[in-house]
Amino acid sequence: MNEGASVQEFFGIPFNISNDLPGLVAAMIVFFTMLWLSRRIQLKPSGRQNFIEWIIDFTNGIIKSTMPGKEGSKFGLLIFTLFSFIFVSNQLGLMFQVDVNDVGYIQSPTANAMTTMTLAFIVLLTAHFLGVKKFGFKGYFKNTYLSPLPFLLPLSVLEEFTNFLTLALRLYGNIYSGEVLLKLIYQFGKSFGIASFIPAVPLEIIWQGFSVFIGSIQAYVFVTLTMVYISQKVEKE
Amino acid sequence: MGLTFVLGAATGVEWGDMLFYAVLFVVLLALIKHYAWGPVTDMMEKRATKIANDLDSAEEARKNAEQVEEQRVSALKDSHAEASQIIERARKNGEQQKTTIVADAHGEAQALKDTAKQDIERERQDALEGVKNDVAELSLEIASKVISKNLQMNDQKALIDSYIEGLGKQNEVK
């Protein structure tokens, strides 16, 4: 995470390059890893194929736990991609931090609220769209906003916004705070020469390990909640 | 540091990022679907059906094997029974043959004995007949000799002598 930001405007739309570039890098890492893992697919799996099938089984397991049955299988690709992208994004900033003139160009894309909000927005848009598609607009409205008791309508509307915000900000907050602390430990290590450098190294290692753990957990939580929100919309209560 | 970020975020929202990430994510979805997810899940599906088929065919093969085994056992049992039947029949045949052979032999021996007895009887009869004929001849001869000579003491004596002589001669001739 870096305080500086390189904002460029294309067609009058402001783009934050120091947020977009790491997203592109993370997506490319995900894509090429999956491409590499899925070459030479055989009926009898071996080596890399085992690994990608293990990931697919894991994400399918997340779907199964909230939406058992045939209906959930069409979300396999979404959950698989979402999970791998968020996972790689969370870990990216722990391994690489590239700053040029105090402007970060490589960091965790998920350490920026814009990124996580976009992802949460995609997820909830999908959920609402599927809800409307399945029950029609009337059924969707009834199911989503008037479902337990009609007079709770204001709360239900509010809930949709809080769902969106909590989904986005939980991920952002965890990853951002992790990177802030990494940065702080790094600055502490620099501040008093060798005297602070030595204690800073194990601290940094410990915090990086913990951040890896948090990043994995948050990726898991994000896709689990995604499935929960989708299943709320497409299943009648 | 945090303050500048908050300030920066407050002064201008880079909403282009939203567009960027939405497009990025959709493109990533499409690429992963085409290059990784599709082939791998297809193969997983294929494997699942293949395993199901294999299980079914294994079940079938097991049933077949069981049937064959049953047939084999029953055939073995049948063959046991058949073998004992054959032995039984052979023994019965042998027994029967033995009794008939013994009976035949008995009959034959009896018949031989009977014929031998009959032969002996006939021989004896023949011998008796012969003796009777001889005695009659002798008596006739004696009677004729007696009649041809006078009944004198002297002559009688001579007659007996001659008779005896004649007898001896006859015996020699015979």
Side-chain angles (χ1 to χ4, degrees), chain A residues 9 15 29 34 47 54 69 91 96-97 100 103 110 121 129 133 153 160 188 191 195 205 218-219 233-235:
Chain A
E9 287 209 4
F15 285 94
I29 290 173
M34 293 311 166
W54 176 71
Q91 312 304 346
F96 306 108
Q97 295 266 358
V100 179
V103 175
T110 41
F121 189 67
F129 172 74
K133 193 180 163 197
L153 175 69
E160 294 308 317
F188 161 69
S191 53
I205 290 171
Q218 286 308 316
K233 293 292 172 287
V234 300
E235 277 170 3

Side-chain angles (χ1 to χ4, degrees), chain B residues 6-55:
Chain B
V6 168
L7 281 175
T11 47
V13 175
E14 296 91 9
W15 57 279
D17 288 10
M18 278 201 132
L19 272 179
F20 176 79
Y21 273 102
V23 171
L24 183 75
F25 189 73
V26 170
V27 169
L28 187 64
L29 267 180
L31 284 177
I32 281 188
K33 185 190 166 100
H34 187 262
Y35 287 105
W37 176 265
V40 173
T41 48
D42 272 4
M43 194 52 77
M44 286 165 90
E45 196 89 0
K46 241 185 257 174
R47 187 180 314 134
T49 50
K50 187 187 181 317
I51 287 171
N53 286 344
D54 284 0
L55 282 178

Side-chain angles (χ1 to χ4, degrees), chain A residues 7 13-16 19-20 23 27 38-39 41-43 53 56-57 76-77 81-82 109 114-115 118 172, chain B residues 1 4-5 13-18 20-22 24-25 28-29 31-33 35-37 40 43-44 47 50:
Chain A
V7 179
I13 302 166
F15 285 94
N16 184 356
N19 185 27
D20 295 343
S38 63
R39 291 307 91 187
I41 297 286
Q42 294 161 324
L43 194 61
E53 284 189 7
I56 289 175
D57 276 339
L77 175 67
T81 312
L82 201 58
M114 288 305 268
T115 315
T118 312
Y172 157 69
Chain B
M1 182 184 64
T4 43
F5 173 78
V13 175
E14 296 91 9
W15 57 279
D17 288 10
M18 278 201 132
F20 176 79
Y21 273 102
L24 183 75
F25 189 73
L28 187 64
L29 267 180
L31 284 177
I32 281 188
K33 185 190 166 100
Y35 287 105
W37 176 265
V40 173
M43 194 52 77
M44 286 165 90
R47 187 180 314 134
K50 187 187 181 317

Side-chain angles (χ1 to χ4, degrees), chain A residues 26-195:
Chain A
M28 275 164 67
I29 290 173
V30 169
F31 173 65
F32 284 112
T33 309
M34 293 311 166
L35 188 70
W36 180 66
L37 287 176
S38 63
R39 291 307 91 187
R40 280 192 287 127
I41 297 286
Q42 294 161 324
L43 194 61
K44 201 173 145 197
S46 60
R48 311 195 297 247
Q49 198 189 341
N50 273 330
F51 183 60
I52 192 168
E53 284 189 7
W54 176 71
I55 303 172
I56 289 175
D57 276 339
F58 174 71
T59 53
N60 282 349
I62 294 172
I63 297 168
K64 275 256 164 58
S65 62
T66 50
M67 202 187 271
K70 268 262 179 282
E71 208 185 357
S73 61
K74 64 183 171 200
F75 301 114
L77 175 67
L78 174 69
I79 296 302
F80 175 73
T81 312
L82 201 58
F83 177 77
S84 41
F85 181 65
I86 293 174
F87 181 81
V88 169
S89 298
N90 291 351
Q91 312 304 346
L92 185 67
L94 302 179
M95 290 180 257
F96 306 108
Q97 295 266 358
V98 177
D99 291 3
V100 179
N101 297 331
D102 261 354
V103 175
Y105 284 103
I106 301 288
Q107 57 207 358
S108 281
T110 41
N112 189 307
M114 288 305 268
T115 315
T116 58
M117 277 187 182
T118 312
L119 292 174
F121 189 67
I122 291 171
V123 163
L124 289 169
L125 204 65
T126 312
H128 284 264
F129 172 74
L130 289 171
V132 174
K133 193 180 163 197
K134 185 160 182 196
F135 299 119
F137 190 76
K138 237 175 159 177
Y140 153 79
F141 192 80
K142 220 166 154 185
N143 188 31
T144 310
Y145 302 107
L146 310 173
S147 166
L149 293 164
F151 67 85
L152 290 178
L153 175 69
L155 279 181
S156 300
V157 173
L158 194 64
E159 191 195 351
E160 294 308 317
F161 285 103
T162 54
N163 277 351
F164 167 66
L165 279 176
T166 51
L167 188 62
L169 296 181
R170 178 186 303 108
L171 180 61
Y172 157 69
N174 274 286
I175 305 307
Y176 177 68
S177 62
E179 298 212 344
V180 165
L181 198 52
L182 276 183
K183 207 91 177 180
L184 282 177
I185 294 169
Y186 170 68
Q187 281 173 351
F188 161 69
K190 279 198 306 185
S191 53
F192 299 108
I194 195 82

